[in-house]
Amino acid sequence: MELTGRFLLFLLSSLVYSGLSQDLPNATVTVESPVEPFYPGDTVTLRCDITQYTDWEYYYWYRDNTHIPSNTSKTITISLPTESGQYVCSGRRKTRPQNSSSSQAVTVSYQAELPTPALTVDPQNPVFTGEKVTLKCEVKPSSGWRYKWYKEQSSNVDFQSEGNTFIITAASGSDEDRYWCRGEREHSNTNTPTSRDVYLYVKAPPTATLTVAPQSPVWTGDTVTLRCEVASLTGWRYKWYKGRSQTAVSQSDRYNRTGDTLTIRGAAESDQDQYWCQGERDTRPTSSLISTHLTLTVKDSQSPYLPQVGVRLGLGATILFAIVVVLLCCFKTMSGAHLHAAEPGEQGTQQSLHQDQSEEAQAGLQSNKTAECGTGDVTYIEVQIKELKQRKNTEEASEADTVYSELQPEQTREDAGPSNVIYAQVKIKETE
């Protein structure tokens, strides 16, 4: 009877304890930060989560089954490597149920050696000025890292980033150098070993060359051909630009783009401007440097100014030439035509002389009249005047004794113009 009572009391106590245990809320230990794996120097934050009720006042923490009395909050922060181990938590509140169940143990461990990052460059060397360059520093696993970038193995950090990329938006000659990187833990000052060095080569892409035919200035209505060429590499396409606009010249009835040429048909004054070009292709470098700006000058071929200038110059030259010819004829006439007066008694002789001179002059005119003019359309007339010997009893010559000669040769060419010149050569011979 006594044994039966003790058994019933034990069974009742077991049932009561079992019921209370099932009603206790469950606790769970989770890692708040950082993400595993952990490394020496990391600080790890743990959190005790109890899903039922919200009025938990105290939390109990255990490391390797040892109570940690200094930590009574929902989260605790531990440092590695000294505080690594297995962690368990539970909670306490004022009302029933006052205690939670104990959580499952969570092991916090670390890796003794930090990984070495890998540094890559895109695009591959060499890079061209103006290109976007991306340097990537990668640590695996990739979470929980900041990155430091160095240039020319300097001990000072050149750039620091949260992500694992360092971007040069438009490469220039000053960016050519040696680069390297390292990772740093976000929750400590622990750094990885340095990456390998990468030397970045930066070179200028080829330059486009622009030529024009015909040479400027051109006249309205002319056909103008501009040619763009990139000497090195292959596979180039060409874009043409006019003035300060960044918009390429489009195909039209007057602007014809074919291969490396731009043809302007029927040039107009509106085409007068600066022109430049640039090459493009599918592979790197995808574009060339722009050509020099070439100024196209277009002049109006119908301008009245030029004909007026030609007329004035031609008329002035003609007048000047005529004056020179007249002066030359006057000079030769004055120097050669010294005639001596004849005596009254020799009137018959002078008449005979006059007749001879007239016949000779007429013969000279007739012979030169039929001769063909040279390149200058010049007629040469040779007149020979024989001087009479004075008689002993010389008397003053009367006005009637003076000889006048008028030469009027006919033009030998129908197209003879102002350039036809008559030269008269007078030879004076003394007669016995």
Side-chain angles (χ1 to χ4, degrees), residues 75-366:
T75 60
I76 62 171
T77 300
I78 61 175
S79 297
L80 299 178
T82 57
E83 295 180 324
S84 61
Q86 290 186 332
Y87 285 82
V88 175
C89 75
S90 64
R92 181 178 175 83
R93 57 196 293 266
K94 293 181 178 179
T95 58
R96 296 181 61 235
Q98 292 182 331
N99 297 315
S100 71
S101 64
S102 297
S103 68
Q104 295 291 328
V106 172
T107 301
V108 179
S109 61
Y110 62 93
Q111 293 184 6
E113 295 183 0
L114 278 75
T116 300
L119 177 59
T120 57
V121 179
D122 183 39
Q124 296 293 322
N125 274 320
V127 299
F128 296 93
T129 54
E131 283 188 323
K132 177 182 177 181
V133 183
T134 301
L135 291 87
K136 186 176 182 180
C137 189
E138 188 173 7
V139 179
K140 293 183 179 180
S142 58
S143 61
W145 300 100
R146 290 187 298 266
Y147 293 88
K148 296 178 179 179
W149 299 89
Y150 302 84
K151 187 176 180 181
E152 193 53 38
Q153 297 189 9
S154 173
S155 58
N156 297 321
V157 178
D158 186 64
F159 181 78
Q160 184 167 321
S161 63
E162 294 295 333
N164 66 338
T165 57
F166 175 36
I167 297 176
I168 302 173
T169 54
S172 63
S174 61
D175 295 315
E176 180 171 311
D177 218 325
R178 192 177 303 277
Y179 294 84
W180 56 291
C181 69
R182 70 194 316 169
E184 181 185 64
R185 295 298 289 170
E186 292 177 344
H187 300 278
S188 69
N189 294 324
T190 306
N191 295 317
T192 68
T194 60
S195 69
R196 68 183 181 93
D197 294 343
V198 172
Y199 194 89
L200 185 65
Y201 293 91
V202 181
K203 63 182 296 185
T207 303
T209 302
L210 177 60
T211 56
V212 61
Q215 293 292 324
S216 188
V218 300
W219 306 101
T220 55
D222 285 353
T223 296
V224 183
T225 301
L226 293 94
R227 184 170 183 265
C228 189
E229 182 182 12
V230 179
S232 60
L233 306 176
T234 58
W236 293 103
R237 300 181 301 273
Y238 297 94
K239 284 189 173 181
W240 302 87
Y241 300 89
K242 180 181 177 182
R244 300 183 180 274
S245 173
Q246 297 298 318
T247 304
V249 175
S250 58
Q251 185 88 359
S252 66
D253 293 339
R254 294 183 56 247
Y255 289 84
N256 181 34
R257 298 179 303 168
T258 305
D260 60 352
T261 60
L262 171 66
T263 303
I264 304 175
R265 297 190 181 96
E269 292 183 351
S270 60
D271 298 318
Q272 179 167 292
D273 213 326
Q274 285 189 334
Y275 292 82
W276 51 284
C277 67
Q278 186 175 26
E280 292 183 341
R281 65 184 201 143
D282 296 329
T283 56
R284 297 180 52 247
T286 56
S287 63
S288 72
L289 296 179
I290 64 173
S291 68
T292 55
H293 288 62
L294 187 150
T295 300
L296 180 65
T297 302
V298 182
K299 292 187 176 181
D300 186 5
S301 59
Q302 302 300 323
S303 175
Y305 175 76
L306 293 176
Q308 289 178 4
V309 171
V311 170
R312 290 176 182 177
L313 289 177
L315 182 60
T318 302
I319 295 174
L320 179 61
F321 186 77
I323 293 173
V324 172
V325 170
V326 171
L327 291 177
L328 181 60
C329 292
C330 292
F331 174 77
K332 286 187 175 293
T333 302
M334 293 175 63
S335 63
H338 294 286
L339 301 178
H340 296 274
E343 295 181 358
E346 297 181 8
Q347 183 175 357
T349 304
Q350 286 189 359
Q351 290 178 355
S352 176
L353 177 60
H354 292 167
Q355 183 177 1
D356 293 339
Q357 290 175 347
S358 177
E359 291 176 358
E360 289 180 3
Q362 185 174 2
L365 288 174
Q366 185 67 25

Side-chain angles (χ1 to χ4, degrees), residues 366-423:
Q366 185 67 25
S367 62
N368 285 279
K369 179 178 180 181
T370 58
E372 185 174 354
C373 296
T375 57
D377 294 333
V378 180
T379 302
Y380 295 88
I381 301 174
E382 182 177 353
V383 179
Q384 295 182 352
I385 302 175
K386 296 180 180 180
E387 183 177 350
L388 295 176
K389 189 174 181 180
Q390 293 183 352
R391 297 175 60 182
K392 293 181 180 180
N393 297 325
T394 304
E395 297 178 358
E396 291 184 359
S398 62
E399 184 177 353
D401 296 331
T402 305
V403 178
Y404 293 91
S405 177
E406 180 178 1
L407 304 181
Q408 295 181 346
E410 296 179 2
Q411 294 183 356
T412 59
R413 288 174 53 184
E414 294 181 358
D415 58 347
S419 62
N420 296 334
V421 180
I422 300 174
Y423 292 89

Side-chain angles (χ1 to χ4, degrees), residues 20-28 47-61 72-75 89-103:
L20 292 175
S21 298
Q22 289 179 353
D23 293 336
L24 294 178
N26 295 322
T28 304
R47 185 178 69 245
C48 186
D49 292 317
I50 305 174
T51 57
Q52 295 171 292
Y53 308 107
T54 58
D55 55 346
W56 301 99
E57 294 182 341
Y58 301 98
Y59 293 86
Y60 300 99
W61 289 94
T72 59
S73 60
K74 184 176 182 177
T75 60
C89 75
S90 64
R92 181 178 175 83
R93 57 196 293 266
K94 293 181 178 179
T95 58
R96 296 181 61 235
Q98 292 182 331
N99 297 315
S100 71
S101 64
S102 297
S103 68

